[in-house]
Amino acid sequence: MERVVQYVRGNFFAGEVFADLEDAQARAVFWCQEKAGMRIHGTTQARPAEVFTAEEAPALLPAPADYDVPLFKEAKVHRDHHIEIGKALYSVPGDYIGSQVDVRADSELVKIYHRGQLIKTHPRMRPGTRSTDPSDLPEHKSAYALRDITHLIGLCAGHGENIGIYAERILDDPLPWTRMRAVYRLIGLVRQYGPAAVEAACAKALDLDVVAVGKIDSMLAKAVENIPALMPVAVAAGTARFARDPSEYAAAGPSAAGRSAGAGTTLASRGTGGAASAGTGVANAGTAIATTRTGLANEGTGAAASSGTAGTVGVGAGPRYGRGVQLHLVFSHPDTPENTLQPEAREDAR
């Protein structure tokens, strides 16, 4: 394999100048097909392109539809025991801090090599996440690790009291080495925006109990670090969810309360008087109707008596009191022999 690489380097691109990557790839394909592939090989005494087509191509398996192209990259092991590949973090044993390592990353695995030796393997992580093996970190807070963390806190406190407190809050973790990168970012914000602006932003974030360097960066970018924070207002237990705060209403004085009470009393009085007057009027009307009916009954009785017809007057009360007295006049005509005789016969009978 090494001899092939030397042949390609010495016969293809040594001394050549390419416009760009696409130009280099196109000329490499032409060189392989027309020159290197069609030359007479010194060992086989045959053309490589013809041998490949006749003997090797039929033995090859079909190429997969989606080929997983790996990523090859060099990375530096930082003081937080991690390297960055594809915007994700992967831990490396502490013995390699400060060293350059070679990385091969595909869609499944990330393999880390140091001087050709595989030293760590991680599953591939999505951007913004990390894969940390606890065995890569110090089991105890060694003097070296403590010195680094203490140095960072002291460096931040030198720019401002609240910046130092914020750095302590960031590093308050069982594995503080994994949070050192965030403190380095905070120090970078001090260099970018100045200590005074970062100090004000950290003070505001501490008041709201928000520990995230990204929020500090956002406040500084929007220049809102000096705007007072709106603190949450406690809501009394049992208060309706959408009820307004009592302070949003105008306070009513004693005179307003008295006017409201007087108006209510007046309305109640009007209602009571109106109902009583209406009831009395209805009762009077019922009494008048009853009197009229009594007069009609008397007239009927007198007429009956004057005509010589004996009758019985029945007086009965109506179904409801107060709506008048109903009089039922029942006239009885006994079927006696005296009543059945003719006038002349009655006269003779006398």
Side-chain angles (χ1 to χ4, degrees):
M1 185 67 180
E2 184 177 355
R3 295 181 60 184
V4 174
V5 173
Q6 292 177 354
Y7 175 77
V8 173
R9 183 175 62 241
N11 293 271
F12 169 55
F13 61 81
E16 296 290 335
V17 177
F18 304 103
D20 51 23
L21 180 60
E22 293 181 356
D23 179 43
Q25 291 175 340
R27 291 171 62 178
V29 171
F30 176 80
W31 180 81
C32 290
Q33 294 177 348
E34 302 297 333
K35 293 186 177 181
M38 299 305 295
R39 65 183 175 86
I40 301 298
H41 193 274
T43 302
T44 62
Q45 296 298 309
R47 291 183 173 86
E50 295 176 354
V51 175
F52 175 79
T53 303
E55 301 178 8
E56 296 179 358
L60 295 177
L61 296 175
D66 297 326
Y67 183 73
D68 189 2
V69 180
L71 170 67
F72 295 93
K73 184 179 179 181
E74 290 187 355
K76 180 180 179 180
V77 183
H78 295 275
R79 290 181 177 272
D80 61 353
H81 299 249
H82 287 76
I83 62 172
E84 180 181 352
I85 300 295
K87 297 183 179 180
L89 301 180
Y90 303 90
S91 65
V92 177
D95 296 338
Y96 301 97
I97 290 178
S99 303
Q100 292 286 339
V101 294
D102 298 317
V103 182
R104 181 191 185 277
D106 54 30
S107 61
E108 299 293 334
L109 296 175
V110 174
K111 296 182 178 181
I112 305 173
Y113 299 85
H114 182 256
R115 296 181 179 177
Q117 298 294 323
L118 179 64
I119 59 174
K120 200 68 184 180
T121 302
H122 289 278
R124 185 69 182 267
M125 307 298 293
R126 59 183 178 82
T129 60
R130 66 173 65 211
S131 175
T132 302
D133 184 357
S135 63
D136 294 336
L137 306 176
E139 295 182 1
H140 304 287
K141 294 183 178 181
S142 63
Y144 175 79
L146 284 176
R147 184 172 62 250
D148 276 353
I149 294 174
T150 304
H151 173 71
L152 281 178
I153 295 175
L155 184 62
C156 291
H159 296 297
E161 179 182 1
N162 290 311
I163 300 177
I165 297 174
Y166 206 80
E168 291 182 2
R169 292 288 303 275
I170 294 173
L171 296 171
D172 185 14
D173 189 86
L175 301 175
W177 307 277
T178 62
R179 311 295 298 275
M180 293 171 64
R181 196 178 294 261
V183 180
Y184 286 129
R185 183 182 177 187
L186 183 63
I187 296 174
L189 294 177
V190 173
R191 291 194 296 265
Q192 182 178 357
Y193 294 99
V198 179
E199 173 74 6
C202 289
K204 184 176 180 180
L206 290 172
D207 290 339
L208 298 175
D209 196 22
V210 176
V211 182
V213 181
K215 297 296 183 181
I216 301 294
D217 192 0
S218 178
M219 283 191 289
L220 294 172
K222 298 177 182 178
V224 297
E225 66 276 4
N226 292 317
I227 299 177
L230 296 177
M231 304 303 292
V233 179
V235 180
T239 305
R241 180 180 178 187
F242 297 104
R244 291 182 177 273
D245 190 88
S247 61
E248 298 182 16
Y249 296 94
S255 58
R259 289 195 299 271
S260 299
T265 305
T266 302
L267 291 176
S269 301
R270 290 179 181 175
T272 304
S277 300
T280 303
V282 172
N284 293 335
T287 304
I289 293 173
T291 303
T292 303
R293 290 183 177 181
T294 302
L296 292 175
N298 292 335
E299 292 179 1
T301 303
S306 62
S307 64
T309 303
T312 303
V313 179
V315 180
R320 294 182 182 178
Y321 179 77
R323 297 297 300 272
V325 179
Q326 296 181 3
L327 301 180
H328 301 274
L329 304 179
V330 181
F331 297 93
S332 61
H333 299 274
D335 190 11
T336 60
E338 183 179 1
N339 294 333
T340 59
L341 296 176
Q342 296 296 325
E344 295 81 6
R346 287 199 299 270
E347 187 66 26
D348 293 338
R350 290 188 184 127

